Amino acid sequence: MKKLAIRDTILEVLGFLWANRLDLFRMIAAPVLALSMINAAATALTPKPETPTTELQGAATFSAMLLIGVSFIFYVMFAVAWHRRCLKPEEQTTIWTALRWDKRKSQFTIRSFAIGLILLAVAVTVGVFVAIIGGSIGFVSTVGTGAEGKAIPTALGTIGGLIIAVMVLLMNSRLAMWLPAAAVDDNLTLMETWVLARGNTWRIFAVVLLSSAPGILFFFVVDMAVKLVAQSLGMGDTLTFRLIASLALNLANYVVIAIGVSALSTIYRELRRPNSPGMPYFM
C-alpha cells in the first residue's frame, strides 16, 4: 500500500502550477470571459424591483439555473483538459481541441453525477439516522427535564452536521480519483478507484485542502475587494462594473478549480505509479 507524502505532493502541485501558469491562464481565458459576459447579461436582464412579482422571481430562478448549467459545462471542459495537461504533458493540443466537447467529457460528467448521487445518499442516510437519535433523545429529555432538554438535540444536530460533512468530504476524497482516470481514458471501476485510494483518505483530503488554501484565500481577497469598490464608488448596479466584477471573481474561482484539479491529477499519478522493486542485491 503506497502512502502519499503530503508535503512533497503539495509542493509538486504548486510547482507544476507555477511552471505552467501561462498555459493555465490561456486555458481559463475562454471560460472566464464567457461566464462573465453571461453572468453580467443575466443580471442586467433580470431587474430587481422593491416588490418582485411571481414572473420576475421565475425569470431570476431560470437565469440562475441556466448559469449553473453553463458553469458546470465549462468546468467539465476545463477540468478534463487540465487533467490531461497534468497527466499527459507530452500531448500536443490547441486550446480549442482541449476545451471542445467530446466523449471523454461525457464520461467525466457521468462519473461526476454518479459520485454526487453516492455522496447525497450517504448524507441523507446519516442525516436520517442522526434525526432519529436526536428526536428520541429530545423526547426523553423533554419528558424528564422539561423544555430545557431541547438543548441536547440541538447540540446533537450540530454534531451530526459535522459528522455528515466529514464523511462526505472523506468519501469524496477517495471517489474523486475516478475523475482524472476518466480524463485519461483509464477504465477504472468505482470499486477499483475506492481500493486505489485505500489507506490515503486523510492524506488525499489534506493535500487537496492545503494545496487549495492559497487559491481560496485569493478568492476571498478578490471578493472583498469587489464588494469594497462597489460600496465606496457606488457602481455596483452598472453593467460595466458587473462585467469587471464577474471577470475578477470567475478568474479567482478558476484558479481554485485549477489547483484542485492539479492536486487530484498529482495524487492519481502517484497512486497509479507502480512501486519500484529497487536495485537488485548482489552477493
Side-chain angles (χ1 to χ4, degrees):
M1 186 185 301
K2 184 177 294 186
K3 293 292 185 181
L4 279 175
I6 296 177
R7 184 181 66 87
D8 293 343
T9 306
I10 293 173
L11 292 177
E12 185 176 354
V13 170
L14 298 179
F16 171 81
L17 286 165
W18 179 252
N20 297 276
R21 58 191 181 279
L22 295 180
D23 286 344
L24 173 62
F25 286 118
R26 291 190 191 102
M27 195 168 290
I28 67 177
V32 167
L33 181 59
L35 287 173
S36 300
M37 294 177 65
I38 293 172
N39 186 38
T43 305
L45 295 174
T46 308
K48 297 180 179 179
E50 295 181 359
T51 48
T53 62
T54 304
E55 291 78 8
L56 289 177
Q57 289 177 344
T61 302
F62 175 77
S63 298
M65 296 299 295
L66 180 63
L67 186 61
I68 291 173
V70 174
S71 299
F72 179 76
I73 291 173
F74 276 116
Y75 157 73
V76 172
M77 294 165 65
F78 168 76
V80 172
W82 197 248
H83 274 308
R84 294 188 69 82
R85 181 67 181 81
C86 297
L87 297 171
K88 292 184 176 292
E90 73 285 352
E91 186 175 75
Q92 297 295 324
T93 185
T94 63
I95 301 300
W96 165 247
T97 55
L99 294 179
R100 72 181 179 185
W101 197 268
D102 53 26
K103 183 178 179 180
R104 189 177 293 123
K105 294 178 179 64
S106 298
Q107 181 72 10
F108 188 95
T109 302
I110 292 171
R111 292 189 180 189
S112 298
F113 278 114
I115 292 173
L117 290 174
I118 292 171
L119 297 178
L120 178 62
V122 171
V124 170
T125 302
V126 177
V128 170
F129 183 71
V130 170
I132 292 174
I133 295 178
S136 302
I137 295 177
F139 176 76
V140 173
S141 60
T142 301
V143 171
T145 62
E148 296 178 356
K150 292 182 180 180
I152 297 177
T154 301
L156 184 62
T158 302
I159 296 173
L162 291 175
I163 293 174
I164 293 173
V166 170
M167 288 187 62
V168 168
L169 289 172
L170 292 179
M171 286 194 66
N172 184 62
S173 297
R174 294 186 68 163
L175 297 177
M177 292 295 101
W178 211 22
L179 300 180
V184 294
D185 306 316
D186 190 351
N187 294 320
L188 280 178
T189 64
L190 189 60
M191 184 56 67
E192 289 171 338
T193 304
W194 184 262
V195 174
L196 176 67
R198 182 178 54 189
N200 285 291
T201 304
W202 283 101
R203 294 171 182 268
I204 295 172
F205 175 73
V207 169
V208 175
L209 178 63
L210 296 177
S211 298
S212 302
I216 295 173
L217 178 61
F218 173 63
F219 179 87
F220 280 121
V221 169
V222 172
D223 184 51
M224 291 176 60
V226 168
K227 292 178 180 177
L228 181 62
V229 172
Q231 292 176 357
S232 59
L233 300 181
M235 300 173 58
D237 293 332
T238 63
L239 182 60
T240 302
F241 181 81
R242 288 172 180 171
L243 179 59
I244 295 174
S246 294
L247 283 169
L249 291 173
N250 281 316
L251 175 62
N253 182 47
Y254 263 84
V255 169
V256 177
I257 292 174
I259 296 174
V261 170
S262 301
L264 290 179
S265 292
T266 304
I267 294 168
Y268 173 79
R269 182 174 59 241
E270 291 299 316
L271 294 180
R272 291 291 279 172
R273 183 178 294 164
N275 288 316
S276 174
M279 295 295 292
Y281 179 76
F282 295 99
M283 295 295 295

